[in-house]
C-alpha cells in the first residue's frame, strides 16, 4: 500500500471508537467485517491505533481482538500469537462468543506450530468452559484417525435441523474418514453435506440464515465438490478433476482459506503428473511453494516434497529427484517421531479427561434415550389419535353407507312396485290396443265382404276377396298378440298355420291342400306384419296358379335364422308362371311382395318353372 493511500485511510478512520463500533457491529450483524474494509486495510488502521504509546489498556484490548482476528485471517500467526496470549488472560473483558473465538484462534496457531502441549491446554480450557466436548481434531493432528472418527461420532453434536449445521457435521466427518483412508465413507459423507447444502443454495429464505452463511455457502459448496474429487483421485479416478479443483481454489480466495488452496493445488499437481503435463504441474507446485513460505503445513510439506520428486523423475533429472525424495524421507521420519511424541501427550491428556468425557458421553446417551422415549411417546400418542380418528371415520362411513343402503333399498322397492303397477297398466292398455285394432280390422274385412256381395263382376269380387284376406292377415297378428302374454312377438308357426287355414277356407281348397310349415319359435311384431302380408300374397298366388295337374295344392314354408339374418323360404309344386309376364302386368300382389321386402331391407329371389314356384327372402334382424 502506498504511503499516500495509507495516510488517506488513516485520516478517514482516525476516530478509533467509531472504527471499533463498525467492527463489532459488522461482526454481530448480517454482513462480514471484510465487506467494509479489506483485511489488509483493517490491518493498517488497527495496527496504527494499537501501537500508539498513549492508549488506555481497556481500549488496547478492544483493538487487540479485531487486530488478532485480522492477523489470523491473513495467516500472520506470528503477529497474532502474542496479542492472543495477552487477551486470553482477560476473559472478563470479552463476551462469551468473542472469548471462545480467542481460544479457537490460539489453539489453531499452537497446532499449526506443532506446540501440542499448549494446544491441549487451550482445548482443556475450552472443554471446562463448555465451549466444546471433543478431542477429535487433536487426535487427527497426531495421526490417530480411527480414534478421531469414533470420538467425533460419540461426542460431536449431530444436528437434526438446520441445513448449514448438517453440512458442517458431514463435512468434518468426511474429512476424518479421508484422513483415516476410508475413502468410500468419506465420499458418502461429503455427498450428504452437499445434499444438506442444497436448500441454502436454492433459496433466499432458509433456517439459520446469517451473513456468515451467505458469505461462505458457495465456498463450502465448491469445497465439498473438490473433496469428492479428492476421494476419486485417491482411487485413481482422475475424470473431470481439474475444472472442479480450479473452481474450489478460486472460491477459496473469497474467504482467504489458505489451507484449502494448498491441499487442492497439491491434488491438481498429482493429476497433472498423472497426465504427464509437466508444465502445469510445475506451475501449481510453485504456487504451493509460495504459499508455504507464509504458512507451513507439515502434511502439505511432505506431499509437496514427494510430488516434486515425482516431477523431476518424469524429467529424468535424477539428482533433483533424489534430493526431494531424501528430504521427503527425512521429514517423514521426523514427523513420525513428533507424531508419536504428540500421540502420547494427546492420549495422556485424553486419559486425564476421560472421567469428564465419560460423564459427557453418559449424559449424551441419557439425552438420546430421553429423546427416544419422548419421540416414542409422541409416536404412540399420534398413533392412538390416528386409530381413534380412523375408527370414528369408519363408524361414520359405515353408518352413512348403511343408511344409504336402507334408503336405496326402500327407494328401489317403491320404484319396483310402481314399475309393476305401471307394467300391469301398460299391459292392459296394450291388450286393449291390440283388441281394438283387431276389431277395427275385422270390421274393415266384414265391410269388404259385404261390399263384394253387391258386386256382380267376378274380377272385382276377387279384388275385394284379396283385400279382405290382406286385412284379415293383419288382424290375425293383433288377435294373437291380444291373446298372448308376450306383447312384442308372436309364434310364427302358429300364426302361419292359422293364416293358411283361413286362406284355404277362403279359396275353398280344404280337401285338396297339403302343406308343411317349419319355423323358428318367435318373430317380433315389427317384422311379423310385413312377413304376414308377404306370406298372404304368396299363398294367394299359390292358390291361383300353384295347383297340380290333379287339382291339389302342395307347398312348404320355412323361416330360419343365423346370428344376423332371417331367411323365409317358400316352395309350391304347381305349374308355375312366367315371371316376366307377372312383372309386366304390374300385379298388385307382386308389387306388395317387392315393396314389403324392401321395407325389411331384404333380398328377394323368385324362381318359377313347370315344376313349381319358389320364393327366398333374406332380411336382417336389425332393420336400419
Amino acid at each position: 500500500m502506498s504511503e499516500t493511500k495509507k495516510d488517506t485511510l488513516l485520516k478517514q478512520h482516525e476516530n478509533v471508537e467509531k472504527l471499533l463500533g463498525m467492527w463489532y457491529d459488522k461482526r454481530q450483524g448480517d454482513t462480514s467485517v471484510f465487506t467494509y474494509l479489506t483485511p489488509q486495510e483493517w490491518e493498517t488502521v488497527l495496527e496504527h491505533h494499537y501501537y500508539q504509546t498513549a492508549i488506555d489498556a481497556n481500549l488496547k484490548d478492544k483493538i487487540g481482538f479485531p487486530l488478532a482476528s485480522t492477523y489470523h485471517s491473513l495467516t500472520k500467526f506470528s503477529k497474532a500469537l502474542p496479542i492472543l496470549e495477552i487477551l486470553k488472560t482477560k476473559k472478563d473483558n470479552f463476551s462469551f462468543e468473542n472469548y471462545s473465538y480467542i481460544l479457537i484462534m490460539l489453539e489453531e496457531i499452537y497446532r499449526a506450530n506443532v506446540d501440542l502441549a499448549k494446544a491441549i491446554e487451550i482445548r482443556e480450557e475450552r472443554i471446562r468452559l463448555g465451549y466444546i466436548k471433543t478431542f477429535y481434531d487433536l487426535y487427527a493432528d497426531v495421526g490417530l484417525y480411527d480414534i478421531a472418527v469414533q470420538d467425533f461420532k460419540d461426542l460431536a453434536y449431530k444436528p437434526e435441523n438446520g441445513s448449514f449445521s448438517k453440512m458442517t457435521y458431514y463435512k468434518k466427518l468426511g474429512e476424518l474418514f479421508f484422513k483415516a483412508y476410508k475413502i468410500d465413507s468419506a465420499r458418502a459423507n461429503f455427498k450428504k453435506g452437499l445434499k444438506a447444502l442444497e436448500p441454502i443454495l436454492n433459496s433466499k429464505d432458509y433456517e439459520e440464515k446469517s451473513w456468515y452463511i451467505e458469505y461462505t455457502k458457495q465456498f463450502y459448496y465448491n469445497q465439498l465438490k473438490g473433496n469428492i474429487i479428492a476421494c476419486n483421485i485417491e482411487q485413481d479416478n482422475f475424470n473431470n478433476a481439474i475444472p472442479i479443483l480450479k473452481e474450489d481454489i478460486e472460491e477459496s480466495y473469497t474467504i482467504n482459506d489458505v489451507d484449502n488452496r494448498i491441499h487442492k493445488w497439491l491434488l491438481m499437481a498429482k493429476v497433472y503428473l498423472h497426465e504427464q503435463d509437466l508444465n502445469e504441474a510445475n506451475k501449481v507446485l510453485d504456487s504451493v511453494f509460495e504459499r508455504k513460505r507464509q504458512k507451513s503445513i507439515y502434511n502439505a510439506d511432505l506431499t509437496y516434497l514427494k510430488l516434486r520428486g515425482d516431477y523431476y523423475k518424469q524429467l529424468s533429472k535424477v539428482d533433483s529427484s533424489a534430493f526431494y525424495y531424501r528430504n521427503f524421507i527425512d521429514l517423514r521420519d521426523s514427523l513420525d517421531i513428533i507424531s508419536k511424541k504428540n500421540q502420547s501427550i494427546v492420549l495422556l491428556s485424553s486419559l486425564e479427561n476421560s472421567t469428564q468425557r465419560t460423564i459427557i458421553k453418559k449424559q449424551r446417551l441419557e439425552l438420546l434415550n430421553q429423546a427416544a422415549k419422548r419421540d416414542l411417546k409422541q409416536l404412540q400418542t399420534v398413533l392412538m389419535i390416528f386409530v381413534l380418528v380412523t375408527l370414528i371415520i369408519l363408524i361414520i362411513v359405515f353408518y352413512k353407507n348403511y343408511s344409504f343402503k336402507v334408503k336405496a333399498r326402500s327407494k328401489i322397492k317403491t320404484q319396483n312396485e310402481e314399475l309393476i303397477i305401471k307394467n300391469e297398466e301398460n299391459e292392459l292398455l296394450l291388450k286393449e290396443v291390440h283388441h281394438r285394432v283387431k276389431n277395427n280390422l275385422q270390421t274393415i274385412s266384414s265391410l269388404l265382404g259385404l261390399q263384394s256381395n253387391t258386386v256382380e263382376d267376378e274380377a272385382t269380387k276377387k279384388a275385394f276377396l284379396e283385400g279382405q284376406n290382406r286385412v284379415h292377415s293383419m288382424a290375425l297378428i293383433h288377435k294373437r298378440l291380444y291373446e298372448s302374454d308376450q306383447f312384442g312377438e308372436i309364434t310364427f308357426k302358429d300364426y302361419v298355420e292359422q293364416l293358411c287355414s283361413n286362406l284355404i277356407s277362403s279359396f275353398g281348397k280344404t280337401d285338396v291342400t297339403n302343406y308343411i310349415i317349419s319355423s323358428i319359435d318367435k318373430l317380433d311384431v315389427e317384422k311379423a306384419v310385413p312377413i304376414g302380408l308377404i306370406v298372404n300374397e304368396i299363398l294367394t298366388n299359390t292358390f291361383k296358379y300353384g295347383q297340380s295337374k290333379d287339382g291339389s295344392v302342395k307347398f312348404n314354408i320355412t323361416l330360419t335364422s343365423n346370428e344376423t339374418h332371417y331367411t323365409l323360404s317358400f316352395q309350391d309344386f304347381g305349374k308355375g308362371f312366367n315371371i316376366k309376364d307377372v312383372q309386366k302386368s304390374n300385379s298388385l300382389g307382386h308389387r306388395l311382395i317387392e315393396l314389403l321386402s324392401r321395407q325389411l331391407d331384404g333380398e328377394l329371389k323368385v324362381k318359377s318353372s313347370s315344376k313349381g314356384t319358389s320364393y327366398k327372402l333374406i332380411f336382417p334382424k336389425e332393420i336400419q
Side-chain angles (χ1 to χ4, degrees):
M1 185 183 298
S2 67
E3 288 297 322
T4 303
K5 187 175 180 181
K6 181 178 178 180
D7 290 341
T8 303
L9 185 65
L10 292 174
K11 187 173 183 180
Q12 288 175 343
H13 300 287
E14 61 184 358
N15 188 329
V16 68
E17 293 290 350
K18 186 177 179 181
L19 180 69
L20 292 175
M22 182 67 68
W23 171 276
Y24 286 103
D25 286 346
K26 293 284 185 183
R27 180 170 172 78
Q28 293 174 4
D30 294 331
T31 56
S32 168
V33 293
F34 298 129
T35 60
Y36 178 65
L37 294 175
T38 66
Q40 291 78 11
E41 288 172 337
W42 277 111
E43 179 186 20
T44 300
V45 293
L46 289 170
E47 276 184 345
H48 170 74
H49 291 296
Y50 186 80
Y51 291 110
Q52 286 183 4
T53 53
I55 187 172
D56 179 75
N58 289 333
L59 182 59
K60 188 162 188 163
D61 292 339
K62 284 184 179 180
I63 301 170
F65 176 68
L67 180 58
S69 299
T70 302
Y71 285 146
H72 180 268
S73 177
L74 293 169
T75 65
K76 295 183 177 182
F77 291 167
S78 60
K79 288 187 173 184
L81 183 57
I83 299 174
L84 289 171
E85 287 178 334
I86 293 170
L87 298 179
K88 177 181 173 293
T89 65
K90 301 180 179 183
K91 175 178 175 293
D92 295 338
N93 292 349
F94 298 97
S95 66
F96 177 92
E97 181 185 356
N98 288 342
Y99 190 72
S100 172
Y101 191 55
I102 288 169
L103 295 181
I104 289 170
M105 290 188 288
L106 259 178
E107 183 184 312
E108 186 176 333
I109 293 171
Y110 287 141
R111 285 165 59 191
N113 294 339
V114 200
D115 192 345
L116 215 59
K118 288 186 178 180
I120 289 171
E121 181 184 330
I122 299 296
R123 176 58 58 94
E124 288 173 345
E125 184 170 357
R126 290 175 67 198
I127 291 172
R128 182 177 58 81
L129 294 173
Y131 295 155
I132 195 169
K133 296 178 182 179
T134 66
F135 265 75
Y136 71 87
D137 42 359
L138 294 177
Y139 288 136
D141 281 350
V142 298
L144 299 171
Y145 301 123
D146 290 333
I147 298 175
V149 169
Q150 193 58 49
D151 187 72
F152 183 86
K153 291 168 74 174
D154 285 344
L155 296 173
Y157 171 68
K158 184 177 181 180
E160 296 296 328
N161 301 307
S163 298
F164 192 79
S165 298
K166 286 183 180 178
M167 180 278 296
T168 304
Y169 177 87
Y170 290 123
K171 173 181 168 293
K172 288 179 179 178
L173 185 56
E175 288 168 349
L176 291 174
F177 275 124
F178 186 83
K179 290 175 180 177
Y181 205 73
K182 294 180 179 179
I183 305 303
D184 291 334
S185 296
R187 185 189 292 107
N189 278 279
F190 291 142
K191 287 183 177 180
K192 287 180 181 179
L194 273 179
K195 187 174 181 181
L197 200 57
E198 285 175 3
I200 295 176
L201 293 170
N202 301 327
S203 175
K204 293 182 179 179
D205 188 19
Y206 54 86
E207 190 179 1
E208 301 181 300
K209 185 174 182 179
S210 68
W211 71 265
Y212 178 75
I213 295 175
E214 286 294 297
Y215 183 60
T216 59
K217 63 184 182 181
Q218 192 62 46
F219 161 73
Y220 284 117
Y221 174 73
N222 287 325
Q223 186 188 39
L224 285 165
K225 287 175 64 179
N227 290 351
I228 292 170
I229 288 296
C231 294
N232 295 343
I233 291 171
E234 284 298 320
Q235 294 178 333
D236 294 328
N237 177 2
F238 299 91
N239 293 335
N240 203 34
I242 294 299
I244 292 176
L245 291 173
K246 282 183 176 180
E247 289 177 1
D248 185 4
I249 292 166
E250 184 65 28
E251 200 63 40
S252 296
Y253 283 100
T254 61
I255 67 167
N256 196 33
D257 192 321
V258 178
D259 290 11
N260 189 60
R261 286 208 300 278
I262 290 173
H263 286 302
K264 298 303 165 60
W265 271 328
L266 290 170
L267 286 169
M268 283 182 68
K270 187 173 182 179
V271 176
Y272 283 132
L273 288 171
H274 172 78
E275 295 173 350
Q276 296 184 339
D277 189 343
L278 301 183
N279 185 43
E280 291 298 325
N282 185 51
K283 289 179 183 178
V284 173
L285 289 171
D286 284 345
S287 297
V288 173
F289 182 75
E290 286 299 318
R291 294 307 304 174
K292 274 176 8 72
R293 291 169 63 183
Q294 299 175 31
K295 181 180 180 180
S296 179
I297 306 171
Y298 288 106
N299 286 335
D301 292 344
L302 199 63
T303 306
Y304 170 79
L305 292 171
K306 172 69 169 56
L307 291 173
R308 267 298 181 193
D310 294 341
Y311 166 74
Y312 283 116
K313 182 179 179 182
Q314 288 194 29
L315 286 173
S316 299
K317 293 185 177 181
V318 179
D319 291 342
S320 297
S321 175
F323 170 78
Y324 281 102
Y325 282 149
R326 279 196 302 274
N327 285 337
F328 165 75
I329 293 168
D330 291 343
L331 181 59
R332 183 187 64 189
D333 293 343
S334 175
L335 288 176
D336 283 344
I337 294 169
I338 295 171
S339 179
K340 285 182 174 59
K341 177 184 176 182
N342 287 335
Q343 284 176 9
S344 301
I345 296 170
V346 171
L347 289 172
L348 180 61
S349 176
S350 178
L351 184 62
E352 290 173 353
N353 288 276
S354 62
T355 303
Q356 184 180 357
R357 291 162 59 77
T358 302
I359 292 170
I360 292 171
K361 284 181 70 174
K362 187 176 179 181
Q363 288 174 344
R364 188 180 178 198
L365 287 172
E366 286 176 357
L367 288 172
L368 289 172
N369 288 333
Q370 289 174 5
K373 288 177 181 178
R374 186 173 60 252
D375 291 344
L376 180 60
K377 191 173 181 179
Q378 289 177 349
L379 180 61
Q380 288 172 341
T381 304
V382 170
L383 284 174
M384 188 178 295
I385 294 170
F386 175 77
V387 169
L388 286 172
V389 171
T390 304
L391 185 60
I392 292 168
I393 291 171
L394 287 174
I395 290 170
I396 293 170
V397 170
F398 176 78
Y399 174 76
K400 286 189 174 181
N401 188 48
Y402 175 75
S403 178
F404 175 78
K405 284 183 178 179
V406 169
K407 289 179 181 179
R409 279 198 292 267
S410 176
K411 189 175 180 180
I412 290 168
K413 184 180 179 182
T414 304
Q415 289 175 343
N416 285 339
E417 289 172 353
E418 290 174 355
L419 285 173
I420 289 169
I421 293 169
K422 285 183 179 180
N423 283 338
E424 290 175 351
E425 290 174 353
N426 289 336
E427 286 177 5
L428 288 172
L429 287 172
L430 200 54
K431 279 191 175 185
E432 182 63 22
V433 168
H434 286 306
H435 183 62
R436 291 190 180 190
V437 171
K438 185 232 2 164
N439 288 344
N440 288 336
L441 289 172
Q442 285 181 340
T443 301
I444 293 169
S445 178
S446 298
L447 287 172
L448 288 171
L450 290 171
Q451 189 66 40
S452 68
N453 291 333
T454 64
V455 177
E456 294 182 357
D457 182 61
E458 288 297 323
T460 304
K461 278 190 174 185
K462 284 182 180 180
F464 273 108
L465 178 61
E466 289 175 3
Q468 191 176 8
N469 288 335
R470 289 170 186 140
V471 172
H472 196 271
S473 71
M474 291 187 287
L476 183 60
I477 289 173
H478 289 282
K479 180 176 181 294
R480 299 199 68 80
L481 289 169
Y482 168 72
E483 293 172 349
S484 171
D485 292 332
Q486 302 291 329
F487 298 108
E489 55 188 17
I490 63 169
T491 304
F492 186 73
K493 183 178 180 182
D494 294 344
Y495 165 71
V496 173
E497 284 180 345
Q498 192 168 353
L499 183 62
C500 289
S501 177
N502 292 340
L503 288 171
I504 289 168
S505 176
S506 174
F507 282 96
K509 300 291 184 179
T510 306
D511 299 330
V512 293
T513 302
N514 292 303
Y515 58 87
I516 299 172
I517 299 172
S518 57
S519 169
I520 57 172
D521 288 339
K522 305 290 182 181
L523 190 67
D524 64 79
V525 176
E526 186 182 0
K527 299 178 184 63
V529 172
I531 290 294
L533 287 170
I534 289 171
V535 171
N536 180 80
E537 296 305 320
I538 292 172
L539 288 174
T540 298
N541 288 337
T542 296
F543 287 124
K544 285 181 180 180
Y545 311 112
Q547 299 179 27
S548 302
K549 292 179 180 180
D550 59 1
S552 64
V553 178
K554 296 178 182 179
F555 59 85
N556 298 329
I557 299 175
T558 306
L559 181 65
T560 59
S561 71
N562 58 25
E563 290 182 358
T564 58
H565 287 78
Y566 293 107
T567 302
L568 175 67
S569 301
F570 177 88
Q571 177 70 53
D572 68 27
F573 303 96
K575 58 186 178 181
F577 58 84
N578 190 310
I579 295 173
K580 291 183 179 180
D581 291 343
V582 172
Q583 289 173 341
K584 288 178 182 179
S585 69
N586 203 23
S587 164
L588 176 60
H590 185 72
R591 279 190 294 150
L592 275 174
I593 292 172
E594 289 185 337
L595 285 170
L596 292 168
S597 297
R598 285 199 293 273
Q599 181 182 325
L600 292 167
D601 291 337
E603 180 185 352
L604 177 67
K605 293 181 180 179
V606 183
K607 294 181 182 180
S608 186
S609 66
S610 59
K611 293 182 179 181
T613 301
S614 68
Y615 290 84
K616 188 174 186 179
L617 175 62
I618 301 172
F619 58 97
K621 288 185 174 182
E622 299 294 333
I623 299 173
Q624 301 296 322

